[in-house]
Amino acid sequence: MEAVMSVENPAHEHPIRPDEQRVSGPKVLVAGASIAGPALAHWLRRWGAAVTVVERAPALRPGGQAVDARGVAKEVIRRMGLDAAVRAACTETAGAHTVDAAGNVLETYRADDHGGDGYIAEIEILRGDLSQVLYDDTRDGVEYIFGDRIAELTQDADGVDVVFAGGDRRRFDLVVGADGLHSALRAMVFGPHEQFIRHLGHVLAFYSVPNEFELDRWLIDYQESGRSAGLRPVPDATQAMAMFSFPAGDFDVDYRDVEAQKRLLREQMAGFGWLTQDILAHLDNTPDFYLDQVAQVVMDRWSNGRVVLLGDAAFSASPMSGAGTGLALVGAYLLAGELTAAGWDPEAGFAAYEKQMRSFVEANQEIGRLSARSREVPGPDAEPSVDFTSEWFAELVERAIDGVELPDYAGVPDSAAH
């Protein structure tokens, strides 16, 4: 849904095709080049697989909302050897202020709260910037195909035959869907979107604006009657990221129709206070507009034969969980690790990956649901408000941040020195 802007990478990046590489592992096709796909490509390539990543957009997509890495996800980044590169690209947000309509500060949250794993995470980075870091890390050992997609897929006991929309036909040992909430691969292999998507009753929007609001390193958020407007800092101090949310039980706007989405945003935020109308004045000139429903993906299983799902395609917890990036990074590590530990046997590897991830995913999805519920306007039939200071919620947060073990896969050979 974000408007696509090209960055410096050609449509096809493959210095060596997978079938020309000297590798010990399988040929793996990954659909999606945002975060989950390139993170998985890092580990698969490192452990001997020949990896192709196909992305339907013509280039990497810059910008997007700020995403966070907390707890165990930070350890995955460290094991990838990317801690310095990720931190260098962070937004360096100092914290967040909630304000009233006049801009008076009501509450303050700092980035170093809770050991850097609080409301504003120590590692906070724009989605597009993290995607670029992961792409730069993997581009020399992974085949990237931009501007194409999987059009047909047929699997048998030994492999998967894939027809690309561009006409190419290839055979792979495994196929991974890391193509997001609206995953085309999930619909192709597992069933229609409606079967797995759970709407949480809200819509979120993000886009870049000139920093004419004297925003420094602090995020500012204004909420009233179920709606919110905010501004957050980005690495380029001349710019800021606008953020909006509003309730929407019925979301029937095409997720690729950007003009219709902008009309919807204007309608829903009409008359809203604080700096809202000044921020909306930049809507027609922004290069990276994004709007989507707040939704989760709930599935009984994430694999079917030789096809498996990863990240939002499998277990979106919604942006209100603050956990989508962490789930993608941890899931990529565990999926690649369990596959290699199982000798690349998909049935055993996929089952172990699901067993490791399931409780972690469920905890983060529960936080996403509670966060969405906390924004609802109280009514006669409303559920009781969430007590975010209770002991049970603290335990839930702990499970959502650190509630998964990261095996060291010490017995797995490191086939490609990193």
Side-chain angles (χ1 to χ4, degrees), residues 117 363-364 367 392-403:
D117 289 335
N364 281 286
I367 286 178
W392 72 265
F393 185 74
E395 292 173 354
L396 178 65
V397 169
E398 174 63 23
R399 206 158 50 94
I401 292 175
D402 287 308

Side-chain angles (χ1 to χ4, degrees), residues 43-373:
W43 294 111
L44 290 175
R45 180 70 185 99
R46 192 161 158 181
W47 289 330
V51 186
T52 297
V53 178
V54 62
E55 167 59 52
R56 68 183 302 155
L60 295 181
R61 301 178 182 186
Q65 72 259 45
V67 297
D68 307 308
R70 296 179 174 86
V72 69
K74 292 191 290 189
E75 173 62 14
V76 171
I77 292 172
R78 189 193 67 79
R79 294 189 187 189
M80 295 176 84
L82 295 177
D83 189 67
V86 169
R87 289 178 183 273
C90 279
T91 63
E92 297 187 352
T93 302
H97 297 306
T98 60
V99 299
D100 62 18
N104 300 308
V105 175
L106 302 176
E107 291 182 286
T108 296
Y109 306 89
R110 299 182 181 276
D112 56 4
D113 291 346
H114 306 289
D117 289 335
Y119 174 68
I120 298 296
E122 170 193 13
I123 294 183
E124 181 190 75
I125 183 171
L126 296 185
R127 184 209 56 77
D129 291 345
L130 179 56
S131 178
Q132 185 73 56
V133 169
L134 295 171
Y135 171 73
D136 289 343
D137 170 68
T138 55
R139 63 187 297 177
D140 289 338
V142 170
E143 178 189 25
Y144 278 88
I145 303 173
F146 289 91
D148 208 345
R149 60 182 174 81
I150 299 172
E152 296 178 29
L153 178 150
T154 306
Q155 60 175 317
D156 54 43
D158 301 315
V160 187
D161 292 309
V162 174
V163 178
F164 293 89
D168 198 8
R169 295 173 179 265
R170 303 263 288 273
R171 184 168 174 84
F172 298 89
D173 297 294
L174 305 170
V175 175
V176 183
D179 49 345
L181 177 68
H182 302 285
S183 171
L185 185 64
R186 185 185 63 229
M188 189 180 298
V189 177
F190 295 84
H193 296 297
E194 296 75 19
Q195 190 174 336
F196 307 112
I197 291 183
R198 306 288 185 268
H199 302 275
L200 298 187
H202 297 267
V203 169
L204 296 181
F206 305 88
Y207 59 92
S208 297
V209 297
N211 187 11
E212 61 184 36
F213 306 98
E214 299 183 357
L215 192 70
D216 50 19
R217 295 177 57 219
W218 289 82
L219 179 152
I220 305 175
D221 185 55
Y222 169 63
Q223 298 185 23
E224 183 181 350
S225 303
R227 294 183 290 174
S228 72
L231 291 165
R232 68 158 63 246
V234 297
D236 180 357
T238 68
Q239 299 288 306
M241 184 66 64
M243 312 175 298
F244 294 98
S245 73
F246 54 87
D250 297 319
F251 184 79
D252 57 0
V253 176
D254 184 344
Y255 77 96
R256 295 191 183 278
D257 188 342
V258 173
E259 291 309 312
Q261 293 168 17
K262 290 180 177 180
R263 286 195 299 272
L264 176 66
L265 179 60
R266 283 195 175 94
E267 292 168 1
Q268 294 295 324
M269 303 308 296
F272 200 57
W274 186 55
L275 301 173
T276 299
Q277 304 313 310
D278 293 333
I279 299 170
L280 287 171
H282 296 286
L283 190 55
D284 287 333
N285 300 318
T286 186
D288 54 3
F289 181 78
Y290 167 98
L291 180 146
D292 202 358
Q293 61 200 339
V294 176
Q296 296 183 337
V297 174
V298 180
M299 304 182 72
D300 292 335
R301 58 179 298 149
W302 305 323
S303 63
N304 181 342
R306 290 180 169 270
V307 179
V308 66
L309 301 176
L310 173 67
D312 281 355
F315 39 70
S316 168
S318 88
M320 286 191 175
S321 72
T325 296
L327 289 173
L329 293 173
V330 173
Y333 178 80
L334 292 174
L335 175 55
E338 294 300 334
L339 276 170
T340 51
W344 301 109
D345 175 68
E347 183 176 0
F350 294 165
Y353 151 68
E354 292 199 25
K355 183 177 180 181
Q356 291 264 43
M357 282 290 290
R358 183 65 68 172
S359 176
F360 187 51
V361 166
E362 289 174 350
N364 281 286
Q365 289 190 329
E366 179 64 12
I367 286 178
R369 288 190 289 269
L370 292 172
S371 178
R373 202 174 97 197

